[in-house]
């Protein structure tokens, strides 16, 4: 949701609550939802974002399912969704436009305490990885495996869908 601040600044954005089942093993982290996602109140809502087609391909569900069913499919696959940031100022959707002096990271220590089965964190793009490593990791004492993945954002056109799918397929599947 976009909220106006005193002084007329409407670039303040708030992220979403995590989506995680009790047995989640993999946590997918973005940086902060884009404008389309914020407007719809849904993770990866931009129609050209490749996240849902990739997840559907990896886990064998229809990417055209309604949002609640897609979230259920991820939870059944033991995958959780969240973002590194709880809040920030950012005009538009580009990670490059996040104002560094406005960042508020999510509470990962509390989240990981509630979800102790998580063993792998997958970063949806370089900005999510950089933000996490700078603003979260130094204060975190939980040993986890980290995987940097190509962004599923339509702004990351340098990698083909097939390249993204191959990388995400390796990262999302985890042995028990």
């Amino acid at each position: 949701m976009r909220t106006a601040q005193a002084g007329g600044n409407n670039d303040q954005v708030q992220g979403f609550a995590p989506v995680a089942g009790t047995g989640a093993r993999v946590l997918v982290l973005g940086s902060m939802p884009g404008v389309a996602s914020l407007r719809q109140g849904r993770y990866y809502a931009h129609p050209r974002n490749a996240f849902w087609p990739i997840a559907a391909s990896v886990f064998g569900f229809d990417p055209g399912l309604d949002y609640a069913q897609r979230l259920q499919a991820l939870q059944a696959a033991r995958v959780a969704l969240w973002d590194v940031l709880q809040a920030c100022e950012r005009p538009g959707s580009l990670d490059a436009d996040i104002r560094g002096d406005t960042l508020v990271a999510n509470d990962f220590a509390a989240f990981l305490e509630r979800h102790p089965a998580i063993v792998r964190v997958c970063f949806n793009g370089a900005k999510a990885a950089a933000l996490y490593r700078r603003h979260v990791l130094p204060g975190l004492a939980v040993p986890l495996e980290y995987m940097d993945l190509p962004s599923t954002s339509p702004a990351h056109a340098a990698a083909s869908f097939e390249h993204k799918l191959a990388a995400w397929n390796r990262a999302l599947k985890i042995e028990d």
Side-chain angles (χ1 to χ4, degrees), residues 11-171:
D11 294 333
Q12 179 69 31
V13 289
Q14 287 285 134
F16 304 140
V19 174
T22 55
R25 304 268 295 150
V26 176
L27 173 60
V28 172
L29 291 177
S31 54
M32 172 62 73
V35 171
S37 292
L38 292 166
R39 284 186 183 140
Q40 294 183 41
R42 299 175 174 194
Y43 282 100
Y44 305 108
H46 193 287
R48 289 194 328 263
N49 191 298
F51 179 79
W52 290 113
I54 286 171
S57 179
V58 171
F59 296 118
F61 64 87
D62 179 354
L65 291 173
D66 72 34
Y67 183 67
Q69 291 174 309
R70 286 180 279 160
L71 291 179
Q72 288 174 348
L74 278 187
Q75 289 174 324
R78 301 176 75 183
V79 173
L81 294 179
W82 207 14
D83 288 298
V84 176
L85 299 180
Q86 176 186 71
C88 67
E89 285 184 22
R90 180 196 63 206
S93 293
L94 295 177
D95 284 347
D97 292 336
I98 293 172
R99 285 199 38 212
D101 60 338
T102 66
L103 305 177
V104 178
N106 276 310
D107 185 352
F108 284 91
F111 175 82
L112 293 168
E113 189 173 303
R114 287 189 312 273
H115 299 281
I118 290 177
V119 295
R120 179 180 295 161
V121 176
C122 297
F123 298 110
N124 191 346
K127 185 69 168 194
L131 289 168
Y132 182 92
R133 288 184 174 113
R134 180 164 185 201
H135 298 284
V136 176
L137 191 57
L140 204 58
V142 180
L144 297 167
E145 177 185 2
Y146 295 104
M147 298 188 77
D148 294 17
L149 296 168
S151 174
T152 60
S153 167
H156 181 63
S160 68
F161 178 83
E162 292 74 20
H163 171 78
K164 292 177 184 184
L165 176 59
W168 280 88
N169 187 51
R170 287 188 300 273

